């Protein structure tokens, strides 16, 4: 069973860049589609974007200008960079993997536990 | 404003059958499959129904899903106290070129 674990700073200053890493274990990152999803405190889920193992990416249009998702295949990790953050970016950030190889359609069968990022000075 | 519309709350007593609805449009639910997630407090979402009506391994068969046109629904029969959670529908949107969620439905077991 693949395991995912998010890591990164819990506090980011406004206007700076939020960087998170998702580490994969008990599975290969060289296949499947890998996603980031976030959840502001007390609110619903929001898809941020995904990267297919080939390196192809897709981003939420509302965040596209500030987001980069990249793969680090040798280290079995993928990362999220969100630039110019504001308080509105405060959220629980999850990484997830699609259930079926070859599909990037939000059928997430494996999730990390989530990491809370607070944007504050 | 979520792209998919769900009722904010639902409730039922133990043993009852509860249905949660999810309404979308031609660009998402109408054209693509719907997935349902259960989120218990303080935990990551868990996939309970995929591709409209498929229950992943380990999900009780009390959970079922269906889709018709631009609407989908999640049914939970034989309601149990452990089913109390937030439920989200999600689907790919061809116009957005990304995944959209419903706002979530908080299910209370009375």
């Amino acid at each position: 069973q693949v395991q995912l674990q998010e890591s990164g700073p819990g506090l980011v200053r406004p206007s700076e860049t939020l960087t998170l890493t998702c580490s994969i274990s008990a599975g290969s990152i060289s296949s499947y589609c890998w996603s980031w999803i976030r959840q502001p405190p007390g609110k619903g889920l929001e898809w941020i974007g995904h990267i297919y193992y080939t390196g192809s990416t897709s981003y939420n249009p509302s965040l596209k200008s500030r987001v980069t998702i990249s793969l680090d295949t040798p280290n079995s990790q993928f990362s999220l960079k969100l630039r110019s953050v504001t308080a509105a970016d405060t959220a629980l950030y999850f990484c997830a993997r699609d259930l079926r190889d070859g599909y990037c359609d939000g059928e997430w069968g494996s999730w990390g536990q989530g990491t809370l990022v607070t944007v504050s000075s | 404003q979520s792209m998919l519309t769900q009722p904010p709350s639902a409730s039922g007593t133990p043993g009852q059958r509860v249905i949660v609805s999810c309404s979308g449009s031609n660009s998402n639910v109408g054209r693509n499959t719907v997935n349902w997630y259960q989120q218990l407090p303080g935990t990551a979402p868990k996939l309970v129904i995929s591709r409209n009506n498929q229950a992943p391994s380990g999900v009780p068969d009390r959970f079922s899903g269906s889709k018709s046109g631009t609407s989908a629904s999640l049914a939970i029969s034989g309601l149990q106290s452990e089913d109390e959670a937030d439920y989200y529908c999600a689907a790919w949107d061809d116009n957005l070129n990304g995944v959209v969620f419903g706002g979530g439905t908080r299910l209370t077991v009375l």
Side-chain angles (χ1 to χ4, degrees):
Chain A
Q1 180 82 352
V2 67
Q3 308 276 342
L4 292 81
Q5 176 69 58
E6 305 88 350
S7 60
L11 179 66
V12 180
R13 307 289 186 206
S15 81
E16 294 189 346
T17 297
L18 178 164
T19 301
L20 296 176
T21 297
C22 183
S23 299
I24 314 303
S25 58
S28 173
I29 199 170
S30 298
S31 55
Y32 292 94
C33 190
W34 306 91
S35 297
W36 288 98
I37 300 109
R38 71 180 183 179
Q39 184 173 36
K43 296 188 178 181
L45 300 167
E46 180 182 34
W47 175 75
I48 298 171
H50 67 228
I51 186 164
Y52 194 45
Y53 78 96
T54 56
S56 172
T57 56
S58 184
Y59 301 126
N60 188 322
S62 69
L63 299 170
K64 188 173 184 176
S65 64
R66 300 192 291 131
V67 171
T68 301
I69 297 175
S70 58
L71 279 175
D72 179 4
T73 302
N75 289 308
S76 290
Q77 296 176 337
F78 68 106
S79 66
L80 167 70
K81 289 188 184 294
L82 181 64
R83 296 174 290 278
S84 303
V85 297
T86 69
D89 296 309
T90 293
L92 188 58
Y93 285 76
F94 297 99
C95 57
R97 193 199 81 175
D98 269 72
L99 188 64
R100 297 177 291 160
D101 192 11
Y103 290 84
C104 283
D105 59 0
E107 187 186 9
W108 299 299
S110 301
W111 293 68
Q113 64 186 27
T115 187
L116 179 63
V117 178
T118 301
V119 178
S120 175
S121 56
Chain B
Q1 193 83 2
S2 302
M3 293 281 290
L4 306 182
T5 301
Q6 298 180 236
S9 63
S11 63
T13 57
Q16 270 192 329
R17 183 171 185 258
V18 170
I19 295 176
V20 179
S21 62
C22 173
S23 177
S25 65
N26 287 327
S27 63
N28 42 63
V29 175
R31 211 175 291 162
N32 299 299
T33 59
V34 177
N35 302 303
W36 288 92
Y37 295 91
Q38 175 195 62
Q39 187 177 32
L40 300 171
T43 69
K46 173 189 173 184
L47 183 66
V48 291
I49 291 291
S50 65
R51 285 174 280 155
N52 303 328
N53 55 22
Q54 304 297 305
S57 174
V59 174
D61 59 7
R62 303 183 292 103
F63 289 81
S64 62
S66 64
K67 190 184 91 168
S68 178
T70 59
S71 295
S73 60
L74 170 71
I76 309 171
S77 59
L79 199 62
Q80 299 182 5
S81 58
E82 67 209 49
D83 300 329
E84 189 161 283
D86 293 329
Y87 292 85
Y88 294 90
C89 58
W92 184 263
D93 188 281
D94 290 339
N95 291 344
L96 188 80
N97 199 31
V99 179
V100 292
F101 284 100
T105 298
R106 178 152 294 178
L107 175 63
T108 301
V109 180
L110 302 169

